[in-house]
Amino acid sequence: MASESGANSSGEYIAHHLTNLTFGQHTDGTWGIARSGEEIARMGFWSINLDSIGFSVVLGAVFMALSWAVARRVTTGVPGRRQNLIEITVEFVNNNIKSMFSHESKMIGPLALTIFVWVLLMNTMDLVPVDFIPALAQMAGVPYLKVVPSTDVNVTMGLALSVFALVLFYSVKQKGLGGFAAELSFHPFGKLGLPVNLILESVTLLAKPLSLGLRLFGNLYAGEMIFILIALLPWWGQWALSVPWAIFHILIIFLQAFIFMVLTIVYLSAAFAVEEH
């Protein structure tokens, strides 16, 4: 059985690794970085998780820079490794779009590619050892640092709500405001079942961003928690468990990015569909 001090130190270790670097307004009216979980709670809604935003922007910039560098040197001959990787990724995304999206849109391709690669890069940060970057940051005076943006529900729900906004926009654009309202009001039980229809369809509609954002967050948060718990074990336990879990986690990292992309395509395909009943 762990001693009380050992339990406290383990709890503090876990809490430290699950706390974001947060910027917001202190109770005295000044703005700055929170130094404790209590300060973060008091900052409220308008606080910003600098680490989540920072790593998301950096990973997005890496994706853009890599794509730009490959596009500048693209060749029709034998492609290099980077060009081959980009072509495989684009072809993979394009094949999924062709199988699920039967409408004409110049937006769906770039959107699906961006979502897949960006979420994949954010998820891949989970394979970085849990103590490596936070320890370097702490030596530099940074109190907290979470390096996996997709373990922050603010990031995953931000992505999900962005997709949801596009779904609403194209639903109204393709079907008209009246058509979209009729779709919510008269399906599946016809005009006589309007109240029930509206409740059912509203729940279904609102469940889309919730399931999209919380699924990604839950899977990556759970994976990060397991890495943290493994780091609390003796060195031989870490070596015995961390490598197998990391190998298995590669599947989760890819699968969650793939699911997010697929659901985005499916939701937008439904938004573009105009049916007469």
Side-chain angles (χ1 to χ4, degrees):
M1 183 179 293
S3 65
E4 186 177 350
S5 61
N8 288 338
S9 61
S10 298
E12 291 170 358
Y13 177 85
I14 293 172
H16 180 272
H17 280 67
L18 296 179
T19 303
N20 287 98
L21 177 64
T22 305
F23 178 87
Q25 188 175 26
H26 297 287
T27 52
D28 61 1
T30 61
W31 291 79
I33 293 174
R35 294 285 169 175
S36 67
E38 291 76 10
E39 282 190 352
I40 293 174
R42 288 195 295 268
M43 284 179 174
F45 178 78
W46 295 110
S47 57
I48 300 174
N49 293 339
L50 297 177
D51 44 9
S52 297
I53 297 296
F55 281 107
S56 298
V57 171
V58 168
L59 292 171
V62 168
F63 168 46
M64 292 173 62
L66 178 61
S67 302
W68 178 75
V70 170
R72 285 189 62 197
R73 296 175 175 83
V74 67
T75 176
T76 57
V78 179
R81 286 178 294 180
R82 288 189 298 179
Q83 181 179 334
N84 196 37
L85 176 62
I86 295 293
E87 288 179 353
I88 290 173
T89 304
V90 171
E91 184 178 2
F92 171 75
V93 173
N94 195 42
N95 288 338
N96 280 279
I97 293 172
K98 288 179 179 178
S99 65
M100 290 178 282
F101 194 87
S102 57
H103 314 283
E104 291 293 328
S105 175
K106 295 181 180 179
M107 172 273 303
I108 190 66
L111 176 65
L113 179 65
T114 299
I115 284 177
F116 175 70
V117 177
W118 201 15
V119 173
L120 182 62
L121 288 175
M122 288 192 284
N123 293 352
T124 303
M125 293 298 292
D126 211 10
L127 297 179
V128 178
V130 293
D131 286 323
F132 181 61
I133 299 179
L136 294 176
Q138 204 159 26
M139 286 189 291
V142 178
Y144 302 105
L145 194 69
K146 283 180 67 176
V147 302
V148 188
S150 44
T151 59
D152 185 348
V153 70
N154 298 287
V155 171
T156 60
M157 286 306 301
L159 290 171
L161 290 173
S162 299
V163 172
F164 185 58
L166 288 173
V167 170
L168 293 179
F169 174 78
Y170 282 103
S171 293
V172 173
K173 181 180 179 182
Q174 296 295 117
K175 304 165 187 177
L177 187 58
F180 180 54
E183 186 177 74
L184 295 178
S185 304
F186 303 146
H187 185 270
F189 301 122
K191 294 182 179 180
L192 295 178
L194 190 149
V196 177
N197 294 338
L198 191 59
I199 292 172
L200 292 176
E201 290 299 312
S202 296
V203 170
T204 301
L205 185 66
L206 295 176
K208 290 179 179 179
L210 287 174
S211 63
L212 196 61
L214 294 181
R215 180 188 293 106
L216 177 60
F217 164 73
N219 280 276
L220 271 295
Y221 188 88
E224 180 75 357
M225 177 62 79
I226 292 176
F227 276 122
I228 293 172
L229 294 176
I230 290 174
L232 290 170
L233 297 174
W235 66 268
W236 51 269
Q238 294 183 32
W239 280 105
L241 295 176
S242 62
V243 174
W245 176 247
I247 294 173
F248 173 74
H249 202 57
I250 292 172
L251 174 63
I252 298 174
I253 285 170
F254 178 85
L255 185 61
Q256 290 306 312
F258 173 71
I259 290 174
F260 204 103
M261 177 195 70
V262 166
L263 289 178
T264 298
I265 297 171
V266 170
Y267 292 161
L268 283 168
S269 179
F272 274 77
V274 180
E275 298 180 5
E276 295 293 338
H277 296 280

